[in-house]
Amino acid sequence: MSAQHPGIGMTSQRTRLRMIERLRAQGIRDEAVLAVMAQVPRHVFVDEALASRAYEDMSLPIGFGQTISNPHTVARMTELACAGGAPGKVLEIGTGCGYQTAILAKLAKQVYSMERIAALIRKARKNLREAGITNIHLRHGDGHAGMPGVSPFDAIVMTAAANRVPEKLVEQLSAGGRMILPMAGKADQYLCVIERAAKGYTERRMEPVRFVPLLPGVG
Ligand code: SAH
């Protein structure tokens, strides 16, 4: 328990285990995902004033008009990203506070994560260090470009909603690799899973979700 995060009762292992039971009830089945979410201290990733709410079923503000996704959404995206087996290299677009990055890093070999707001990169770096996560590589930049120099990726997880599938990212998937992203429709958003097949790509539309928009350029 970090001395910087008060409210020990609300941030205890017991509170975290209640979150895991709720995730199970909400349909999360991947035991590896549930195990790492039981391990990673989510309260480290939110501002001190919100630490007592870190394990509730809600998204929370992280500054700069952005939010940390609710636990169920993080679990679901991770479950989908790992559905083909534990990924080697993962690319995340939208680091935010670094919580999804941390969960992915516990399951994958290496996680590369891009964020357009420099101050959030600094925040995420500090949070990830505090959580003891080291197999991560954070980059300040526009995620639309991806990281062609590091590609191919076994999984790409995008945590901001796009209007169309970013072509450059899909091209950076390994054979059999998958990209999980929220797609913005006319009035709603839904999760989308794109898989790189032997020839071309398959696209699956999943459940409705709510994300902040993917924005162009750096902030
Ligand atoms: N996974 C994060 C979610 C943060 S919200 C978390 O758990 O905290 C989505 C993030 O995507 C925001 O931080 C936003 O700044 C970032 N973002 C939006 N458009 C982007 C882009 N084009 N490139 C990189 N990051 C982007």
Side-chain angles (χ1 to χ4, degrees):
M1 180 61 51
S2 160
Q4 292 162 333
H5 291 277
I8 191 155
M10 296 305 292
T11 54
S12 67
Q13 180 69 13
R14 203 153 39 108
T15 314
R16 200 141 63 228
L17 290 178
R18 270 204 297 275
M19 174 181 82
I20 301 305
E21 287 320 307
R22 206 173 54 230
L23 291 174
R24 272 188 215 283
Q26 289 170 326
I28 302 299
R29 294 280 170 267
D30 189 322
E31 289 299 328
V33 173
L34 292 166
V36 301
M37 287 189 68
Q39 260 175 42
V40 175
R42 186 169 154 96
H43 61 277
V44 163
F45 292 83
V46 300
D47 290 342
E48 263 181 66
L50 295 171
S52 66
R53 319 203 70 177
Y55 298 97
E56 291 177 20
D57 192 16
M58 51 167 59
S59 53
L60 293 167
I62 55 172
F64 312 94
Q66 308 303 320
T67 53
I68 175 174
S69 302
N70 67 64
H72 175 259
T73 300
V74 172
R76 181 71 177 133
M77 291 187 95
T78 310
E79 179 171 81
L80 290 169
C82 296
K89 247 190 301 180
V90 176
L91 174 65
E92 178 191 31
I93 307 298
T95 317
C97 68
Y99 178 69
Q100 171 83 72
T101 324
I103 299 299
L104 289 167
K106 287 276 187 188
L107 295 160
K109 281 208 181 72
Q110 298 294 330
V111 177
Y112 297 79
S113 186
M114 297 180 75
E115 167 59 56
R116 63 184 292 279
I117 300 174
L120 282 176
I121 285 279
R122 287 195 290 275
K123 205 176 213 183
R125 206 179 293 287
K126 174 181 162 288
N127 294 341
L128 287 158
R129 193 180 306 127
E130 195 170 334
I133 313 271
T134 54
N135 56 331
I136 46 117
H137 313 269
L138 306 186
R139 182 179 291 183
H140 178 220
D142 182 351
H144 281 95
M147 294 176 72
V150 184
S151 69
F153 297 99
D154 302 314
I156 300 180
V157 173
M158 206 164 93
T159 67
N163 292 315
R164 67 173 83 90
V165 176
E167 274 309 314
K168 284 202 183 124
L169 293 180
V170 173
E171 287 166 8
Q172 292 174 32
L173 283 174
S174 61
R178 46 183 51 212
M179 176 165 178
I180 321 298
L181 74 162
M183 288 291 293
K186 276 208 179 67
D188 58 348
Q189 290 179 11
Y190 57 91
L191 266 190
C192 185
V193 179
I194 298 172
E195 277 186 62
R196 183 163 194 171
K199 266 197 216 142
Y201 302 90
T202 63
E203 196 172 322
R204 268 188 300 151
R205 184 185 174 130
M206 315 298 281
E207 65 267 26
V209 284
R210 190 98 216 112
F211 278 84
V212 296
L214 187 73
L215 297 174
V218 289

